[in-house]
């Protein structure tokens, strides 16, 4: 199975900050990586698919890069509504696997 | 509008069985692969199972293989997850999810239900 490792596990940031979250796969997954945002008590929301494609309706301050084993999600200017937990997920092979999550907290 | 509505959650004893349902609407159900993803209280996301649009392919996480069964009835626009021989560590909120595209499940899950809570306890 492909293991997904996210870091940091948490980050404290202020509104307007640039935040980058990293995800590493235990083996190459081409560009088959998705990013999700989850707020407390809510279902996850798809932000990015195929490593760098922005899901419809998602603000352009979110961007994704990477291929192979190393990926990143960047929020260019953190907004109050962006404080949440973010997960990466590999979609290259079954079983699908998620990273352990990164909590973005208010500084 | 796409909607996914799970039902069937509840309290079950260790070793028992339960069936979750997910009623889908707002899209061509039979054209899309579907998955179940769970989240234990206070924990991260865990992919559980997937099924292709025509039920020709099914996949399972190692943690549930041989105990859970995914199925679908396209004429009813409904996805199922049969949980058997449940364990305490199966306690979680179970989400029904839709693949983003109808030709691949490699682009993530674009719609999620609100979840069905399964509690395994004696």
């Amino acid at each position: 199975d492909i293991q997904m490792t996210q870091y940091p596990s948490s980050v404290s940031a202020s509104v307007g900050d640039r935040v980058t979250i990293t995800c590493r796969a235990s083996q190459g997954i081409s560009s088959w990586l998705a990013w999700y945002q989850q707020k407390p008590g809510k279902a996850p929301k798809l932000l990015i698919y195929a490593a760098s494609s922005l899901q419809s309706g998602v603000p352009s301050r979110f961007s994704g890069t990477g291929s192979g084993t190393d990926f990143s999600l960047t929020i260019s200017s953190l907004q109050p509504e962006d404080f949440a937990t973010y997960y990466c997920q590999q979609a290259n092979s079954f079983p699908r696997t998620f990273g352990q999550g990164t909590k973005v907290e208010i500084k | 509008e796409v909607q996914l509505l799970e039902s069937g959650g509840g309290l079950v004893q260790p070793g028992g069985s339960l069936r979750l349902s997910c009623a889908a609407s707002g899209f061509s159900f039979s054209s899309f692969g579907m998955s179940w993803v769970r989240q234990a209280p206070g924990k991260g996301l865990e992919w559980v199972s997937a099924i292709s649009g025509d039920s020709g392919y099914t996949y399972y996480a190692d943690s549930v293989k041989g105990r859970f069964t995914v199925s679908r009835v396209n004429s009813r626009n409904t996805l199922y997850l049969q949980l058997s021989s449940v364990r305490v560590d199966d306690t979680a909120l179970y989400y029904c999810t839709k693949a983003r595209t109808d030709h691949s499940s490699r682009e993530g899950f674009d719609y999620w239900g609100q979840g069905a809570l399964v509690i395994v306890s004696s």
Side-chain angles (χ1 to χ4, degrees):
Chain A
D1 298 0
I2 299 174
Q3 309 304 316
M4 305 301 295
T5 303
Q6 271 181 251
Y7 50 93
S9 56
S10 66
V11 57
S12 294
S14 301
V15 172
D17 284 354
R18 181 182 183 90
V19 173
T20 297
I21 299 167
T22 300
C23 182
R24 176 165 289 170
S26 61
Q27 63 189 77
I29 58 171
S30 185
S31 295
W32 300 119
L33 185 100
W35 289 97
Y36 301 87
Q37 176 194 65
Q38 186 179 33
K39 296 180 180 180
K42 300 293 187 182
K45 172 186 174 182
L46 178 65
L47 299 176
I48 300 284
Y49 63 93
S52 60
S53 296
L54 195 67
Q55 172 67 356
S56 176
V58 174
S60 59
R61 62 181 180 272
F62 291 94
S63 64
T65 62
S67 66
T69 60
D70 293 317
F71 302 85
S72 63
L73 172 72
T74 297
I75 309 171
S76 60
S77 178
L78 200 64
Q79 298 301 300
E81 60 269 30
D82 301 336
F83 292 96
T85 300
Y86 294 83
Y87 295 92
C88 62
Q89 177 233 328
Q90 68 82 15
N92 182 69
S93 62
F94 289 100
R96 304 292 196 234
T97 43
F98 288 89
Q100 78 278 17
T102 295
K103 188 173 184 179
V104 177
E105 300 174 300
I106 302 172
K107 193 171 187 178
Chain B
E1 178 191 6
V2 172
Q3 290 192 351
L4 300 172
L5 186 62
E6 300 95 337
S7 61
L11 177 64
V12 58
Q13 292 188 335
S17 298
L18 199 67
R19 189 178 79 162
L20 304 181
S21 301
C22 172
S25 61
F27 64 103
S28 179
F29 182 69
S30 63
S31 298
F32 289 83
M34 301 290 291
S35 284
W36 291 95
V37 175
R38 69 184 181 183
Q39 187 168 35
K43 302 298 184 182
L45 302 172
E46 180 187 14
W47 176 86
V48 172
S49 182
I51 185 169
S52 60
D54 63 359
S55 301
Y57 297 95
T58 58
Y59 303 93
Y60 298 93
D62 290 343
S63 58
V64 307
K65 199 173 295 182
R67 301 187 300 119
F68 292 8
T69 302
V70 63
S71 62
R72 61 194 296 163
V73 177
N74 287 341
S75 61
R76 298 178 186 172
N77 286 353
T78 303
L79 174 72
Y80 300 99
L81 185 68
Q82 177 71 43
L83 289 66
S84 302
S85 302
V86 295
R87 310 186 300 222
V88 171
D89 62 358
D90 293 321
T91 294
L93 188 63
Y94 286 74
Y95 291 106
C96 165
T97 73
K98 169 189 165 292
R100 184 185 172 279
T101 62
D102 60 359
H103 59 273
S104 169
S105 63
R106 286 180 151 181
E107 294 187 354
F109 311 126
D110 62 344
Y111 285 93
W112 298 59
Q114 85 291 346
L117 182 61
V118 174
I119 299 174
V120 182
S121 176
S122 55

